[in-house]
Structures are given as C-alpha cells and as structure tokens.
Amino acid sequence: MTSTGQDSTTNRQRRSRHNPHSPSHNSSVISKRGVKKGAVPRSSPSLAEVKKKGRMKKLSQAAEQDLIMGLQELDLNLEPKALSGTGLVFEEQLNEFHCLWDDSFPECPERLHAIKEQLTQEGLLDRCISFQARSAKKEELMLVHSLEYIDLMETTQYMNEAELRILANTYDSVYLHPNSYTCACLASGSVLRLVDAVLGAKVRNGMAVIRPPGHHAQHNLMDGYCMFNHVAVAARYAQQKHDIQRVLIVDWDVHHGQGTQFTFDQDPSVLYFSIHRYEHGQFWPHLKASNWSATGFGRGQGYNINVPWNQVGMRDADYIAAFLRILLPVALEFQPQLVLVAAGYDALQGDPKGKMAATPAGFAQLTHMLMGLAGGKLILSLEGGYNYRSLAEGVSASLHTLLGDPCPMLESPGAPCLSARTSISCTLVALKPFWEVLMQSAETLEEDCVEKDKEEGPWEPPVPQIMAWPMLCARTGLIYDRRMMNHYNLWDNHHPEMPQRISRIMCHLEGLGLTERCLTLPARPATDAELLTCHRWGWNHLTAHQCSSHASSAEYIARLRATENMKTRELHREGANFDSIYICPSTFTCAQLATGAVCRLVEAVLAGEVLNGTAVVRPPGHHAEWDAACGFCFFNSVAVAARHAQAISGHALRILIVDWDIHHGNGTQHIFEDDPSVLYMSLHRYDHGTFFPMGNEGASSQIGQAPGVGFTVNVAWNGPRMGDPDYLAAWHRLVLPIAYEFNPELVLVSAGFDAAQGDPLGGCQVSPEGYAHLTHLLMGLANGRIILILEGGYNLTSISESMAACTRTLLGDPPPLLGPLRPPLSGALASISETVHVHRRYWRSLRIRKVEDKEEEPSNSGLVTKKEPQPANPGSAKGMARPEENILEAGMGKATSASPVEESIPGQAKSEIATVELAKDKSLEKAPDSQTPEEKLLGEAAGGQDLDDSKLMGFGDTDEATFYAVTPLPWCPHLTAVCPIPAAGLDVTQPCQDCGSLQENWVCLSCYQVCCGRYINAHMIQHHEDLGHPLVLSFVDLSTWCYHCQAYVHHQALLDVKNLAHQNKFGEDMPRPH
C-alpha cells in the first residue's frame, strides 16, 4: 500500500520529490508520492510476514519509548548555559584631563558627559552590569608598547604646561596633560577588565566608555589623540592570560587605526578589519598603508583588511555592504574566539571630522552582525566621535543592541553607492588570494545598469532619525496545539509527514527549558475570511479556459471541509486528486488550526505583545496553491499570515518571506508573484527542474510578474550536499543585500528543516548551528519582528535540534560557534551567481564589480592633520595644527606616522581581472568632462577593441592608462530573441534611424533597426525600453550587449551576425580563436 493510494488524475504535471534520475544520497529516501503510473507494483507480503513485522515494530516502539523516558529523567544537556548580561565600564576619573592650551580641542571631557546623560536618560546604566575600572600595569602595556616609551609617558605627570606642549608637538595631533598618563592607563585597564569578565563567563559582552582613544598609538609613538593602544593591548592580553588563539579587531572609526594595523600586520593570530575615510590618501593619517592594497606581511599577509572610503557622505548601506561582502565571510573562515571593536562614532552624520552620513541605527546593525561571531564574545572600546549628540546616540544604539534590544529600522537603507561598491571590489580583489571563501567568487566583472546615473546625484544629508526602542513584556512567542497531531496517514504510519514531528520538537524545547522562556500563546483556527485572502479566485494568473475549469476558492475550502465526514475510501480517493497529499477526517481542522495559529502569532508581534515568535505547526503550507492542496500542504499558512498582517496594519506592510525549506514554495511564489509589497526569497533544491515540485517554477529566471517583477528571488541548488557554507554565502552575497535594500517591516520564515543533516528527503547538510546563524542575521531586519513557521523536515532529531537552535537565537542567545567551514561548493556559487545575474538589474545592492582601483599618492598640498587647522594668529595659543607642515616628513626630531615597513602588494594569482599598463598615447587624450572614471568604464557603449572573447576598457586622465579586460557572459537566457539576419545583410555605416548620427551606432538583433548609443542620443536605449528587445550589436567594436542581463555576451549563436558585420566593416572574415 502506498502513502497516498491511487495515482493522481489531476491535470498538474508535478512529480514526486524523490527523483530516480538524481544522484542517490541516502538509501532511505522517501518520496512525497507513492507508486506512480508505470511503476512496477510490489508483491504482497504473506500473512506471517505481516504479523512478524508488526510484532517487531511493536517491540521496537516499546524499547524506543523506554529509552526516551529514561533519557528524560537524566540531565543530558551538556551544553553550557547561555550567558546573559552586558558589562559596562564608565569611569568618571577619565574626565580629569583636557588640553591646557586649546579649550576647543575636539577630544575633551564633554564627550563622556554627553554619553552619560544619554545613557542615564534611556535607563541603560541600570540595565548593564557595572565593572570598576582599573589601571593597566606596565607589563600589560609592554605587550604592545616599548618600556622606554611607557617610561617617557609616565614622566609627563611631573611636567609643567610648557614642557608638555613641547613634547606634544613632537607627535602628530596630540596634547598632553599631567593626568594624561593616569587616564590612559585607566582606559587600557578598563578594556582588560571587560576581557576578564567576558572570557571568565561573567557577562556575555561589554562596552568600555573611555578616553583618551587608542587605535592610532604605536609601539613607541603617540598619535592622533592616542597614548596607548587599548584594543591592541587587550588582544595580546587575551592571548597571554586566557589562551585565546584568534582575535578579530574591527575598527569602524572614521580614521584608519594605523597603530593597530602596524602592531599586527605580521601576525596571523589577529585579524584586523578597518573601514575608514581615505579619499585616495587626502584624509588623515595620509598613509598608503591605509589603502585596500595593504594586506599584511609575511605570515600575516591577508590578515589585514582595509576598506577605504574615497568620498564623504557614506551611509548605512555602504557600511552594511562592506560587512556582508567582506568582513562576515572572512571572519567566519577565521573563526575568532574574541571580537574587539575600536568603536569610534565619528562616521555618524553631523560629526565635524568624519563628514559621513551613517546613523546610530546603522551602528546598531553593525553591532548585531558582530554578535553572531565568537559565540557572542564581543567587547566595544570607545574611540573617536566629536559631535556630542551623535556620539551619545551612537554609543546608546550599540549598547541597546548588546543588551539584546532589536535593531531599529533604517530610515532609508537603499543600496551602496558606486564609490562604496568600487572600494569593496578593490578590497575583495586584494584579499582573494588569501581566503578560500573569496577565492571562488560568484560574480564576474559586469556592467552597471543604466539606472546608475540616478543614484549618483549630489549628496544631501538625511533627516536625523528619532529612534524608538520597544518596551516588551516578553521577547519570543511560542504557539503550538497538540490537536494538530490528529492529522495523520490512515494507510501508511511511516509517512514522513507524521504527527510526531511537532510533538518531538516541543518535547525537545521543554527539555532545554526554552518553553519556559517563551510566552506560550493559544492557537485558534483561521477564519474563512482569512483563508480567502490567499485561497481565492486567481484572476490575474488564469486564462478564461482555466477559470472555467477550476473551482472557486470558496468551493475549494468547502471541498476540504467536506472531508471531515467522508469515509476512508472516499478520503483515499480525494487525496489522490492532489499531488503528494493524504487526507483523514481531522485534516481540515488541523490545517485550519495551523494557519490560524500563525495568524495569532502575527497579531502578537504586530501588537508588541512579543518581539518575535516560533510557530510549531502542521500540516505545512508553502506548497498549497490558491485552489489546490499540494506536497503535504492544504492552506498556505505563511501567505495567509502575510495578508493578515497587512490587513491588521491597515496598509501594504512590506513583508519579507524567506523560504529555506529544501523544496521550492511554489504556492507562496504564485500567490505573491505580482505583488511588490511582499518579497519572496527561496533557497531550495532544483536539480535542473527534476526535484519536487518539478518543472521550472523554482528556477532563478522566475522573477515575478509586473508590478512584482524582481520581488521573487529563487536560489536554485542543482544538487545535494549543500551545507552551512553554501547557505551563509547566499545570505552574505544575495539574501541580506536584497533584504536590507527592501527594508521589510515584518519577516516571515517558511522554516522547513529538510535541508538539515540527516533528513531523508533533502540530502543536504545544514547544521542546527547553521540555522541559528541564518536566523540571527535575519533578526537585524524589520525592527526584530520575525516569525519562524515550521514547514518540512522529516528527521525527528534534526528538526528538533534545528528548531531549538533557532528558538534560542530568537530568545537572544548568541548563535553557537560553527565548526571549521569548508569553502562553498562550486555548484552553490554557480547557483548564487545565476540569481545575482538575474536580479542585479532590480537590486542595486547586487552590483558589486570586480574592478581594481588605481592607487593614488597623496599630494602634499592637500594634507591636513587630524585636528582642524586654526587661523594663523601669532598671539594666540591656538593654531596647534599647521597646515603648511607635511606630517609625513620626519625632521627636527619630529615623530613620523609612516609604517616602519614597505607597503604590502597583494599576489597576482587568481585575479579575475587582467590589468594592462600602456603608455598613454596623445591620440587618446580627451577634453575633461564631468564623468567619473567609473562612469566611463561602464555601460553598453563603453568602446574599446574586440580582443577575442574579451574587451579592453581604460581609465584616462593618468600618466599611464589602465585598461581592464572584461570577460563577457558565455551564455544568456535571451539568446532566443536573436532573429535571422535580413536578406539585405548588414550595413555598418548605416546612420541612426532617429537622429541620423553616424557615431557609436548599434543594431538590434531582433528587428535589425539601427540606433545610436547612450553617449550620442541614447536612441538604442529608448528602442529597448519601447520594444523590450534585449540584444544589440555595436558597429564600433562588434561587441554584443544584453540589456536584460546588463552584460556583454559572447556565444556561438552570435558568430554569424558578428562575422557578417566584420566582413562589412573590414572586408574579410572575423578571425576565429584557435
């Protein structure tokens, strides 16, 4: 007897989830369907065999039950209890120094006064665990600094003002006070106090609100307001005292922490990441070592990461993109045991030095991302920040996040700007030889979309955001009702979608004490009105013939309700009318209850009753179509919940649905495919259309229908064995960039756990820890309003452990440490890349280009010190910064900030971009215009010469022009639009049909009309927008451009038309590559 009885007579053509043609990964694989048409029937067992099997099964069930009861009596949960609490060091004594000769010096006691006032006002001081500051000992400071230097600083306690000023002037951008040494020792000791507390398991994380800052201080050198390098000392201290092997230092101060970099640039045990204003060396500290090309030396090469910002006004989206594309992937490969942050807040909007546009909410996001590393062992150490209000709000936002409060929504997250994408790309190129996760890049060099000109307008400061932190009675809601176990298969009690799925999950949650930490909510059945919001007449999707042949939604609901009174044989027959479905008398009630339970949880989250939630429900829902059950699913719970959320909020709430079930959620996709208010993102096994639900519905090319085009995103895995590295790569490169750009107000997760290790259907290898990390990263969105809804998952142990890991994370526990991660599979990267190619025209956050930046030497005339220059006034004590001095010069005993070693040059191996230096020919000189080099590089009319399958493009305005070889796509899905060449052939001298121009003309390969390119009158662009024809051929260099893919294409199907154009242009056939 099969799991579902007779073969389906439905007109749907979907097949079983079990594909006999896919690679066999598990001999116990169970299909969603039983016997299909044409299958060889199994012979019936004898009566004796049946009785024997029944006795053995009964005995095994009894033994299993005894084992479970025995285990429940034991405390086998050997996992350490999750730490709680945030440590805070705030010492008033640190305000007992200031600049004696310049009352306007930016680094002043008022900074800490403003912070204390803000923290007191928001009640944060009382919520933290306070630690008394202590002074760092000399031997602790000597872990980074020389004894001679420390002794010199110690003598400053006994100097008068004149002596202090003379000594201070031998350094760059510092002042000295008799209390400077004492306070600097106290500041370093404060960070060490938190290191002991975090690594000693007294608190989960912490923050040191200290001054003076420290990240510019070097081995024997004061620099940039800094005397001792607090985070560097703390890193060495953690290694020496606590036997920590790997430390990550993140420096988000707007100034590069050159002191920290020089301390560790030959040390592979410390990974240093700095994101800072650089402006091609024009911004302090004016060092080439601050550029992306400085990756470290010797064994430390690759462990120094610089992301240099080359313009002001950088926003939250730029910082988030750098974290997602660079820091998080590398950090997960590095696997730090402790994370230290040089937390300067001078990149916030309004800071007089940084002139950036980041917001406190943006820094909350960065803090949240870092909390997923090192088991949550995270310490922030205050560095810069000189606008008192923004500084105080930035510290407050980070502290809220450390305490577990949800990240505020970003007002206008948008996408990273072109300059940011260029900087990120350059850093990726420099790091690629050193990190496996970056070696197999998912993207190739591509063209920016035509919309780029719109995003690069004049920068305008955003309106300051007023942040509100929700006050919640409970953090995580949990909904479950054992009545949902009444849905079961009458004919096959080994069917994978069994009642024990939810009972085992709840048993595991109770055993770990997680249910006690959640607010348990009562389930309720969904109303017909709620069900009809999704299971209704599909006018937008059906033809007239289809409409006439389908039952209305009300009839579908009535049809399912009628099964409550059917006999067994009728139920069997009715189930066979759908794909991979069984029905029992309680099915309708259970499906109605599962959907209503999710709606109840949505109500609790939107009302602020809870922050987030978990719905342990069955039957699952994401396969259910508007008018048909499918794949174990009857009502589409997540879709109904989304519509319910929009209904009770009173507007088209922006909702992100992430579906990580191993099977594509065809029903959810169809319900929302024309709705831009719901972004549906699915990661699933596709296997080139042979994995359930079969066909092309889950292909990456499925992007939605107008006006919802671009709001359906499919990552289609084409094989088994996908694991944590593959899903995390998809999160970093695709899911989160799009999600932040979409900026949802609610996140719903179709949380199927059949991609987990050991699942009999999925064949994949995602761990419970991996699911915890995916959940944690999603929690930064939507003000933390996220709900996980159980879908599939058929290994009872796997789903129980995975749901528990996700629930812990929702409750605020840090994600557990991941084991050593292999690089993402090449097949996984190919799938991610395919989706990126499809969607980069709709989402600017995906347009990271592999383009190398041309390093520029800082010009002496543009150098300024970290301090603002003062007006020249011989009679004034101000004017400490002298603009006429070059701070990189060492003279008259003046200390230099330059690196003691030469700059690192990254290896050339594995670079995907060929850079060719050519002597600049006078014939290439052009009059200056307003376009940036990046703008000249990109676009369908980029020019250059056709070199085999590549295209060389150059940046001008330099003594030596840099050319970039662009590798075109070897294939694109729009080649079918190429039509046969007209009988009249081609005429490459033909003018533009609209303006008569003879320059930079292109021919459409669909209709063979000739129009000019974008740098003439852009008539070919207009032609594409009017008619939608995708592929065009350049009469200048015979390159082919696809507007839909936003990329050059070189394929066999294009050779005939290219060859004909070559004959017409040069009088001979096009040379073929050997």
Side-chain angles (χ1 to χ4, degrees), residues 62 87 237 660 699 720:
Y237 177 80
W660 68 44

Side-chain angles (χ1 to χ4, degrees), residues 14 96 111 169 186 268 368 385 408 423 444 448 454 581 618 686-687 805 892 916 927 937 985 994 1033 1037-1038:
R14 298 190 189 94
E96 295 179 357
R111 298 175 63 234
N169 284 340
L186 205 56
H368 175 79
S423 294
T444 57
D448 265 347
K454 299 177 183 178
I581 286 295
R618 65 177 292 271
Y686 181 59
D687 292 11
M892 303 296 291
V916 186
L937 170 65
D994 292 322
L1033 174 72
D1037 57 15
L1038 308 187

Side-chain angles (χ1 to χ4, degrees), residues 192-204:
L192 301 187
R193 177 76 78 185
L194 288 177
V195 169
D196 288 334
V198 169
L199 297 181
K202 295 179 181 177
V203 292
R204 175 182 299 166

Side-chain angles (χ1 to χ4, degrees), residues 115-134:
I115 293 172
K116 183 176 182 180
E117 182 179 351
Q118 185 80 23
L119 301 187
T120 302
Q121 179 181 334
E122 298 186 21
L124 294 176
L125 293 177
D126 295 333
R127 293 179 59 190
C128 295
I129 300 173
S130 295
F131 287 89
Q132 184 69 36
R134 72 166 177 86

Side-chain angles (χ1 to χ4, degrees), residues 267-491:
D267 185 352
S269 71
V270 178
L271 175 62
Y272 176 66
F273 174 92
S274 178
I275 184 167
H276 49 266
R277 184 177 165 191
Y278 181 61
E279 292 189 283
H280 303 288
Q282 297 301 303
F283 190 68
W284 197 91
H286 315 293
L287 301 175
K288 282 190 69 178
S290 304
N291 206 1
W292 54 265
S293 56
T295 60
F297 303 94
R299 295 178 62 243
Q301 197 169 13
Y303 292 86
N304 188 83
I305 303 175
N306 287 324
V307 181
W309 294 146
N310 287 315
Q311 68 179 34
V312 298
M314 306 305 268
R315 303 174 181 173
D316 295 334
D318 305 309
Y319 281 83
I320 289 171
F323 269 50
L324 292 178
R325 292 305 303 264
I326 302 173
L327 176 58
L328 293 186
V330 171
L332 286 173
E333 183 175 336
F334 178 67
Q335 293 191 311
Q337 298 164 291
L338 175 66
V339 180
L340 302 172
V341 181
Y345 293 92
D346 36 8
L348 285 168
Q349 180 187 351
D351 191 275
K353 299 198 171 296
K355 298 182 180 178
M356 296 297 179
T359 69
F363 277 101
Q365 293 284 346
L366 304 185
T367 303
H368 175 79
M369 291 180 186
L370 295 178
M371 290 170 67
L373 302 172
K377 296 180 177 64
L378 173 65
I379 298 172
L380 274 60
S381 175
L382 181 64
E383 295 286 352
Y386 307 100
N387 177 304
Y388 301 151
R389 176 182 173 182
S390 62
L391 168 64
E393 291 178 348
V395 171
S396 168
S398 291
L399 201 51
H400 269 289
T401 307
L402 291 175
L403 285 163
D405 295 343
C407 298
M409 286 188 63
L410 302 175
E411 285 294 302
S412 301
C417 68
L418 178 60
S419 179
R421 299 199 303 266
T422 302
S423 294
I424 292 169
S425 172
C426 292
T427 303
L428 285 171
V429 170
L431 293 175
K432 187 176 178 181
F434 310 110
W435 297 97
E436 288 185 331
V437 73
L438 303 180
M439 284 182 182
Q440 303 180 59
S441 176
E443 293 82 36
T444 57
L445 179 65
E446 302 178 17
E447 305 298 332
D448 265 347
C449 297
V450 295
E451 294 93 337
K452 75 177 175 65
D453 293 335
K454 299 177 183 178
E455 69 171 283
E456 297 298 322
W459 173 72
E460 296 182 3
V463 178
Q465 178 182 1
I466 300 177
M467 292 185 299
W469 302 92
M471 301 299 294
L472 301 167
C473 298
R475 180 181 179 92
T476 300
L478 175 63
I479 199 156
Y480 163 78
D481 195 309
R482 64 174 292 106
R483 288 177 293 171
M484 288 181 279
M485 294 181 66
N486 293 333
H487 168 66
Y488 61 94
N489 193 309
L490 295 169
W491 307 274

